[in-house]
Amino acid sequence: MRLALIALATVPSLAAACSGDDGTGDDTQTVNCAEETRDEDFVAGLEKAGQAGALDFKLLTADPAPPARFDNTWVVQVNAMSNGIVGAPVNGASMAVTPYMPDHGHVSPKTVTLQPVAGADGQYTLTPIYFGMPGYWETTLDVTTPSGNDTVVFKFCIPS
């Protein structure tokens, strides 16, 4: 019984801890990203193979750079990949982009839109990638293309 009461008493405090990610971004949580070990260092041109090995992803730009609280815009290059070798740029991609804060168990409240970059094969602008709270975020790109489907996760700590 005592354990059940402790669990019930914890639920409101967990809900309150995430209340700042409702689009207002008004939380006051302090985060020291230097202590975060799960994230990746942001560099322009950060390149990652997709989990299935069908596509290669390069985060060409982020605005702001490095990623920060509130609205962010990313330009991502998507290339075909075969046997670990990066191939040609891939046009005609569709993407589900999901910023997720695993420590709080929630996604971003804003929907990310995808726009091909005119005159740049395989490049896509993603906006807004919204990080309403400071802390560790995983942004998953689930991509469907004519040359294959794949998933990549970019992992960044968003400072206070």
Side-chain angles (χ1 to χ4, degrees):
M1 179 70 171
R2 185 174 187 187
L3 183 58
L5 290 175
I6 290 171
L8 287 174
T10 305
V11 171
S13 65
L14 288 175
C18 292
S19 65
D21 197 31
D22 62 0
T24 62
D26 60 353
D27 64 286
T28 58
Q29 176 184 358
T30 300
V31 173
N32 181 354
C33 288
E35 296 176 357
E36 179 58 64
T37 59
R38 300 168 291 176
D39 65 333
E40 300 163 324
D41 290 331
F42 172 81
V43 293
L46 177 63
E47 188 168 9
K48 299 178 78 166
Q51 294 173 355
L55 299 171
D56 178 78
F57 300 88
K58 187 182 286 189
L59 179 55
L60 296 175
T61 65
D63 182 21
R69 287 190 64 195
F70 309 116
D71 289 343
N72 290 254
T73 299
W74 292 0
V75 175
V76 175
Q77 171 79 43
V78 179
N79 290 332
M81 194 167 164
S82 179
N83 297 321
I85 298 171
V86 177
V90 177
N91 293 319
S94 63
M95 258 181 241
V97 179
T98 309
Y100 175 68
M101 192 173 206
D103 296 340
H104 293 210
H106 63 78
V107 297
S108 175
K110 292 188 178 184
T111 301
V112 178
T113 61
L114 168 79
Q115 181 68 41
V117 175
D121 285 345
Q123 292 184 18
Y124 302 88
T125 300
L126 311 176
T127 190
I129 298 177
Y130 184 78
F131 303 117
M133 300 178 73
Y136 174 71
W137 286 83
E138 296 178 348
T139 302
T140 301
L141 282 57
D142 288 309
V143 181
T144 302
T145 74
S147 62
N149 306 332
D150 217 332
T151 299
V152 68
V153 181
F154 290 98
K155 302 172 182 182
F156 297 119
C157 183
I158 306 301
S160 303

